Amino acid sequence: MSDVSSARGAGLVTDRERFRAAAERLDATDPLAGVRGRFVLDDAADGVVYLDGNSLGALPANVPARLAEVVGEEWGRLRIRSWEERGWWSAPERVGERIAPLIGAAPGQVVVADSTSVNVFKAVVAAIRIAQAGPEGPGPEGPGAVGAESFPGGSVPLRDELLVDAATFPSDGYMAESAARMTGCRIRAVEAAELPAEFGPRTAAALVNHVDYRTGRLHDLPGTTAAAHRAGVPVVWDLCHSAGALPVDLDRHQVDFAVGCTYKYLNGGPGAPAFLYVRRDLQPRFDSPLPGWTSHADPFGMAPSYTPAGGSTRGRVGTPDILSLLALEAALDVWDGVTLEAVRAKSLALTDFFSECVAAYAPEGRVENITPEAHPERGSQVALRCPDAVKVMPRLMERGVIGDLRRPDVLRFGFTPLYTGFADAERAAYILAEVLTA
């Protein structure tokens, strides 16, 4: 018997047999099981369970060959000709169009450029400027620009408050503070669930994380956005932990601005560029605080004054990161034939199953599951509060279970339905129990 079995007795053996049999059945009937082969993963014999796709997604198998082609042919032989001949120049918009269906956006509203933090800054400042100008106020194209009707709250004397969800990712908070200083706003932190009741005539904008990065709690995007619009407030949503993990439906819910990274559930690779969504009718009023040459209406005219381009191109700043951008473009091929509904169904089943295994295997009182049990409130991760998490996670990784730590006491496990199986979830829970018992 293992240490865990010795500590818990024969009942645990029965639990293990039951859960392993259930995992085998679930994996055998998984409609996404075949997608796993599109990734570079450890062999089953290696015993490695990768549950950190919510920090860095696994490598899609087609990316190395594509990068070799970009480096050897497009950069190595064609060199500068590739900007036109191989479509480098249009890649930010082209890759944006590949991401758009994964976040519920129609064409022409998503651009891939810069980092999440930079895009948060652009979107928050632009949102505040729109709100402060009022429905009849100017955008960069002048008074009466399209999009004014989106905020029925009317013209107000002063909108000087930026609401930020109290559990926001730290970098989002840093960018929000800088945006507030630039626009003459003060920041007020509010629990995400309480935001609808807090929007008022002085609220300029709100910044909300769709999924809490610590707990995996999924916040109410439709309800919060609708409440904000009733108060004349634009909202910026951070989709880093939801894009590629669950349906988002930005257009359906009339979201104003959204940003997100592409190296988590979208598997774009380390440092892959982020995306920026600006709803179509707001684009003429999108006044970016970072007007760069590639977002100019005539980028090669080198004019001394700035005239913004139209459409999603307005979200660009400088020269695109071509190697990372084209790696991401290739990585998105793994989504061919995959529906987000299937991804969401498997995500919920995986996180349910893992949580049940942990509850059955782990020594009583050693961990507390702080991820919401209710499906509508859960992202695609399970977070366990553990007093000695800083010691437990390194031991787990030594045993081949790759999760991550959120200090001071949270063990975080991300489930990527495209390549995580139910046997993976069972094995991870069992090894966790062994480590907790040791």
Side-chain angles (χ1 to χ4, degrees):
M1 277 190 176
S2 70
D3 291 338
V4 175
S5 297
S6 299
R8 298 287 297 279
L12 179 58
V13 175
T14 302
D15 281 341
R16 181 122 210 240
E17 290 172 350
R18 177 166 58 89
F19 281 117
R20 291 182 77 172
E24 185 175 351
R25 290 194 303 271
L26 290 165
D27 281 332
T29 58
D30 174 18
L32 295 177
V35 181
R36 184 182 177 105
R38 301 177 188 180
F39 291 87
V40 177
L41 297 165
D42 301 279
D43 292 332
D46 295 331
V48 175
V49 179
Y50 188 67
L51 298 180
D52 207 7
N54 54 337
S55 287
L56 177 64
L59 172 67
N62 64 320
V63 169
R66 175 60 181 135
L67 272 179
E69 179 186 22
V70 172
V71 172
E73 170 68 8
E74 298 181 13
W75 180 14
R77 188 181 72 82
L78 295 176
R79 293 179 286 275
I80 201 167
R81 291 159 54 193
S82 288
W83 285 104
E84 294 296 334
E85 294 182 21
R86 294 301 175 92
W88 285 5
W89 181 256
S90 60
E93 292 82 9
R94 186 175 69 246
V95 181
E97 301 290 35
R98 295 284 303 277
I99 291 174
L102 301 178
I103 55 175
Q109 300 174 103
V110 181
V111 66
V112 176
D114 308 310
S115 67
T116 303
S117 295
V118 171
N119 286 336
V120 165
F121 183 73
K122 295 177 201 172
V124 170
V125 171
I128 292 172
R129 287 175 172 173
I130 287 173
Q132 289 180 337
E136 301 303 325
E141 295 182 358
V146 176
E149 68 279 3
S150 303
F151 302 106
S155 183
V156 295
L158 179 65
R159 286 191 181 266
D160 62 351
E161 182 178 74
L162 172 61
L163 301 185
V164 177
D165 90 70
T168 192
F169 189 76
S171 183
D172 285 15
Y174 308 154
M175 290 295 164
E177 290 175 3
S178 181
R181 289 196 302 271
M182 173 179 283
T183 56
C185 289
R186 64 184 179 90
I187 286 186
R188 184 157 65 93
V190 177
E191 294 294 332
E194 298 172 6
L195 278 168
E198 296 296 322
F199 297 125
R202 298 193 69 160
T203 309
L207 171 63
V208 196
N209 285 249
H210 195 198
V211 174
D212 186 291
Y213 76 100
R214 295 180 187 87
T215 67
R217 178 175 292 278
L218 175 64
H219 295 139
D220 182 8
L221 181 148
T224 302
T225 302
H229 287 181
R230 288 193 294 270
V233 176
V235 183
V236 179
W237 285 93
D238 183 329
L239 307 181
C240 283
H241 288 272
S242 56
L246 52 92
V248 180
D249 296 328
L250 296 182
D251 284 353
R252 177 185 173 194
H253 300 302
Q254 285 289 288
V255 168
D256 311 301
F257 300 92
V259 302
C261 63
T262 61
Y263 48 78
K264 293 183 171 68
Y265 295 106
L266 296 179
N267 310 294
F275 63 83
L276 170 65
Y277 164 92
V278 182
R279 199 179 69 227
R280 187 183 310 281
D281 63 326
L282 288 182
Q283 290 174 3
R285 302 188 74 203
F286 176 60
D287 188 4
S288 174
L290 298 173
W293 77 281
T294 67
S295 65
H296 197 285
D298 183 14
F300 295 99
M302 302 302 169
S305 59
Y306 180 73
T307 302
S312 62
T313 299
R314 188 171 294 190
R316 293 170 61 160
V317 180
T319 305
D321 299 323
I322 289 298
L323 297 182
S324 292
L325 192 55
L326 298 185
L328 168 61
E329 183 175 33
L332 292 170
D333 287 350
V334 300
W335 289 93
D336 290 349
V338 174
T339 69
L340 282 165
E341 290 71 24
V343 168
R344 178 61 168 164
K346 184 178 176 183
S347 165
L348 292 172
L350 277 168
T351 48
D352 278 343
F353 184 71
F354 177 74
S355 297
E356 291 169 9
C357 290
V358 170
Y361 294 166
E364 187 174 351
R366 285 291 278 119
V367 293
E368 175 193 2
N369 192 332
I370 60 173
T371 298
E373 182 177 353
H375 286 181
E377 299 175 6
R378 187 194 312 164
S380 195
Q381 71 181 55
V382 174
L384 303 175
R385 181 166 285 128
C386 176
D388 53 343
V390 293
K391 296 179 180 178
V392 170
M393 184 52 71
R395 293 172 185 164
L396 280 174
M397 296 179 76
E398 289 172 2
R399 297 283 304 275
V401 177
I402 313 300
D404 68 9
L405 169 71
R406 284 295 173 261
R407 295 179 185 273
D409 60 355
V410 173
L411 303 169
R412 196 177 70 154
F413 303 95
F415 290 83
T416 305
L418 297 185
Y419 54 77
T420 305
F422 291 89
D424 296 325
E426 187 280 330
R427 177 177 172 80
Y430 190 78
I431 291 174
L432 170 63
E434 289 193 318
V435 169
L436 292 172
T437 305

Short mmCIF file of all heavy atoms in Angstrom, two decimals, residues 262-285:
data_model
loop_
_atom_site.label_atom_id
_atom_site.label_comp_id
_atom_site.label_asym_id
_atom_site.label_seq_id
_atom_site.Cartn_x
_atom_site.Cartn_y
_atom_site.Cartn_z
N THR A 262 -2.83 35.54 -25.03
CA THR A 262 -3.02 34.41 -25.95
C THR A 262 -2.13 33.23 -25.61
O THR A 262 -2.10 32.24 -26.34
CB THR A 262 -2.74 34.85 -27.40
OG1 THR A 262 -1.37 35.27 -27.51
CG2 THR A 262 -3.65 35.98 -27.83
N TYR A 263 -1.39 33.31 -24.51
CA TYR A 263 -0.45 32.22 -24.19
C TYR A 263 -1.01 31.25 -23.17
O TYR A 263 -0.34 30.28 -22.81
CB TYR A 263 0.89 32.78 -23.69
CG TYR A 263 0.81 33.85 -22.64
CD1 TYR A 263 0.55 33.54 -21.31
CD2 TYR A 263 1.01 35.18 -22.98
CE1 TYR A 263 0.47 34.53 -20.35
CE2 TYR A 263 0.93 36.17 -22.03
CZ TYR A 263 0.67 35.84 -20.71
OH TYR A 263 0.60 36.83 -19.75
N LYS A 264 -2.24 31.47 -22.70
CA LYS A 264 -2.86 30.53 -21.76
C LYS A 264 -3.70 29.52 -22.55
O LYS A 264 -3.17 28.64 -23.20
CB LYS A 264 -3.69 31.30 -20.73
CG LYS A 264 -2.86 32.16 -19.78
CD LYS A 264 -3.73 32.84 -18.75
CE LYS A 264 -2.93 33.53 -17.65
NZ LYS A 264 -2.18 34.70 -18.11
N TYR A 265 -5.01 29.65 -22.50
CA TYR A 265 -5.88 28.68 -23.15
C TYR A 265 -5.85 28.75 -24.67
O TYR A 265 -6.36 27.86 -25.35
CB TYR A 265 -7.32 28.85 -22.65
CG TYR A 265 -7.49 28.53 -21.19
CD1 TYR A 265 -7.67 29.55 -20.25
CD2 TYR A 265 -7.48 27.22 -20.73
CE1 TYR A 265 -7.83 29.27 -18.90
CE2 TYR A 265 -7.64 26.93 -19.39
CZ TYR A 265 -7.82 27.95 -18.47
OH TYR A 265 -7.98 27.67 -17.14
N LEU A 266 -5.25 29.81 -25.24
CA LEU A 266 -5.12 29.91 -26.69
C LEU A 266 -3.79 29.35 -27.19
O LEU A 266 -3.54 29.32 -28.39
CB LEU A 266 -5.32 31.36 -27.16
CG LEU A 266 -6.71 31.93 -26.89
CD1 LEU A 266 -6.79 33.39 -27.38
CD2 LEU A 266 -7.80 31.11 -27.58
N ASN A 267 -2.90 28.97 -26.26
CA ASN A 267 -1.69 28.20 -26.58
C ASN A 267 -0.75 28.88 -27.55
O ASN A 267 -0.09 28.22 -28.36
CB ASN A 267 -2.10 26.82 -27.13
CG ASN A 267 -3.11 26.12 -26.26
OD1 ASN A 267 -2.82 25.73 -25.13
ND2 ASN A 267 -4.34 25.97 -26.76
N GLY A 268 -0.64 30.21 -27.47
CA GLY A 268 0.18 30.95 -28.42
C GLY A 268 1.66 30.96 -28.14
O GLY A 268 2.45 31.41 -28.97
N GLY A 269 2.08 30.48 -26.98
CA GLY A 269 3.50 30.43 -26.65
C GLY A 269 3.92 31.53 -25.71
O GLY A 269 3.23 32.54 -25.55
N PRO A 270 5.07 31.37 -25.06
CA PRO A 270 5.53 32.35 -24.06
C PRO A 270 5.69 33.74 -24.66
O PRO A 270 6.34 33.91 -25.69
CB PRO A 270 6.87 31.78 -23.59
CG PRO A 270 7.30 30.83 -24.67
CD PRO A 270 6.04 30.28 -25.24
N GLY A 271 5.07 34.72 -24.02
CA GLY A 271 5.17 36.09 -24.50
C GLY A 271 4.38 36.39 -25.75
O GLY A 271 4.57 37.44 -26.38
N ALA A 272 3.47 35.49 -26.14
CA ALA A 272 2.66 35.74 -27.33
C ALA A 272 1.87 37.04 -27.16
O ALA A 272 1.44 37.38 -26.05
CB ALA A 272 1.70 34.58 -27.57
N PRO A 273 1.68 37.81 -28.23
CA PRO A 273 0.99 39.10 -28.11
C PRO A 273 -0.46 38.93 -27.70
O PRO A 273 -1.08 37.89 -27.92
CB PRO A 273 1.11 39.70 -29.51
CG PRO A 273 1.31 38.52 -30.42
CD PRO A 273 2.08 37.53 -29.62
N ALA A 274 -1.00 39.98 -27.09
CA ALA A 274 -2.36 39.98 -26.57
C ALA A 274 -3.34 40.48 -27.63
O ALA A 274 -2.94 40.95 -28.71
CB ALA A 274 -2.44 40.85 -25.33
N PHE A 275 -4.63 40.40 -27.30
CA PHE A 275 -5.63 40.92 -28.23
C PHE A 275 -6.41 42.06 -27.58
O PHE A 275 -6.49 42.18 -26.36
CB PHE A 275 -6.59 39.82 -28.70
CG PHE A 275 -7.42 39.18 -27.62
CD1 PHE A 275 -8.61 39.76 -27.17
CD2 PHE A 275 -7.03 37.97 -27.05
CE1 PHE A 275 -9.38 39.17 -26.18
CE2 PHE A 275 -7.79 37.38 -26.05
CZ PHE A 275 -8.97 37.98 -25.62
N LEU A 276 -6.97 42.89 -28.43
CA LEU A 276 -7.80 44.01 -28.01
C LEU A 276 -9.07 44.00 -28.84
O LEU A 276 -9.01 43.97 -30.07
CB LEU A 276 -7.05 45.33 -28.22
CG LEU A 276 -7.87 46.63 -28.05
CD1 LEU A 276 -8.35 46.80 -26.62
CD2 LEU A 276 -7.03 47.84 -28.49
N TYR A 277 -10.21 44.01 -28.17
CA TYR A 277 -11.52 44.09 -28.82
C TYR A 277 -12.13 45.46 -28.55
O TYR A 277 -12.18 45.91 -27.40
CB TYR A 277 -12.43 43.00 -28.26
CG TYR A 277 -13.92 43.16 -28.54
CD1 TYR A 277 -14.50 42.58 -29.67
CD2 TYR A 277 -14.74 43.88 -27.68
CE1 TYR A 277 -15.86 42.70 -29.92
CE2 TYR A 277 -16.11 44.01 -27.92
CZ TYR A 277 -16.66 43.43 -29.04
OH TYR A 277 -18.01 43.55 -29.28
N VAL A 278 -12.54 46.12 -29.60
CA VAL A 278 -13.28 47.38 -29.48
C VAL A 278 -14.56 47.21 -30.30
O VAL A 278 -14.50 46.96 -31.51
CB VAL A 278 -12.47 48.58 -30.02
CG1 VAL A 278 -13.27 49.88 -29.84
CG2 VAL A 278 -11.12 48.68 -29.32
N ARG A 279 -15.69 47.31 -29.64
CA ARG A 279 -16.96 47.12 -30.33
C ARG A 279 -17.07 48.06 -31.52
O ARG A 279 -16.68 49.22 -31.45
CB ARG A 279 -18.13 47.34 -29.35
CG ARG A 279 -19.44 46.73 -29.83
CD ARG A 279 -20.56 46.93 -28.83
NE ARG A 279 -20.94 48.34 -28.75
CZ ARG A 279 -21.12 49.00 -27.62
NH1 ARG A 279 -20.91 48.40 -26.46
NH2 ARG A 279 -21.49 50.26 -27.63
N ARG A 280 -17.63 47.55 -32.59
CA ARG A 280 -17.59 48.27 -33.87
C ARG A 280 -18.11 49.70 -33.78
O ARG A 280 -17.50 50.63 -34.29
CB ARG A 280 -18.39 47.49 -34.92
CG ARG A 280 -18.27 48.08 -36.33
CD ARG A 280 -19.13 47.33 -37.31
NE ARG A 280 -18.94 45.90 -37.24
CZ ARG A 280 -17.91 45.26 -37.81
NH1 ARG A 280 -17.01 45.95 -38.48
NH2 ARG A 280 -17.81 43.94 -37.70
N ASP A 281 -19.27 49.91 -33.11
CA ASP A 281 -19.83 51.26 -33.12
C ASP A 281 -19.06 52.22 -32.22
O ASP A 281 -19.27 53.43 -32.28
CB ASP A 281 -21.32 51.23 -32.73
CG ASP A 281 -21.55 50.73 -31.32
OD1 ASP A 281 -20.80 49.85 -30.86
OD2 ASP A 281 -22.48 51.22 -30.67
N LEU A 282 -18.14 51.70 -31.40
CA LEU A 282 -17.30 52.57 -30.57
C LEU A 282 -15.98 52.92 -31.25
O LEU A 282 -15.27 53.82 -30.79
CB LEU A 282 -17.00 51.90 -29.23
CG LEU A 282 -18.15 51.80 -28.23
CD1 LEU A 282 -17.66 51.15 -26.95
CD2 LEU A 282 -18.75 53.16 -27.94
N GLN A 283 -15.64 52.22 -32.30
CA GLN A 283 -14.32 52.41 -32.90
C GLN A 283 -14.04 53.85 -33.35
O GLN A 283 -12.93 54.35 -33.15
CB GLN A 283 -14.14 51.43 -34.06
CG GLN A 283 -13.98 50.00 -33.57
CD GLN A 283 -13.94 48.97 -34.68
OE1 GLN A 283 -13.98 49.32 -35.87
NE2 GLN A 283 -13.89 47.70 -34.33
N PRO A 284 -15.01 54.57 -33.93
CA PRO A 284 -14.71 55.96 -34.29
C PRO A 284 -14.41 56.85 -33.09
O PRO A 284 -13.80 57.91 -33.25
CB PRO A 284 -15.99 56.41 -35.01
CG PRO A 284 -16.60 55.15 -35.52
CD PRO A 284 -16.33 54.14 -34.46
N ARG A 285 -14.86 56.45 -31.89
CA ARG A 285 -14.60 57.24 -30.69
C ARG A 285 -13.46 56.68 -29.85
O ARG A 285 -13.19 57.17 -28.76
CB ARG A 285 -15.88 57.31 -29.83
CG ARG A 285 -17.07 57.92 -30.58
CD ARG A 285 -18.23 58.15 -29.63
NE ARG A 285 -17.97 59.29 -28.76
CZ ARG A 285 -18.55 59.48 -27.57
NH1 ARG A 285 -19.42 58.60 -27.11
NH2 ARG A 285 -18.26 60.53 -26.86
#
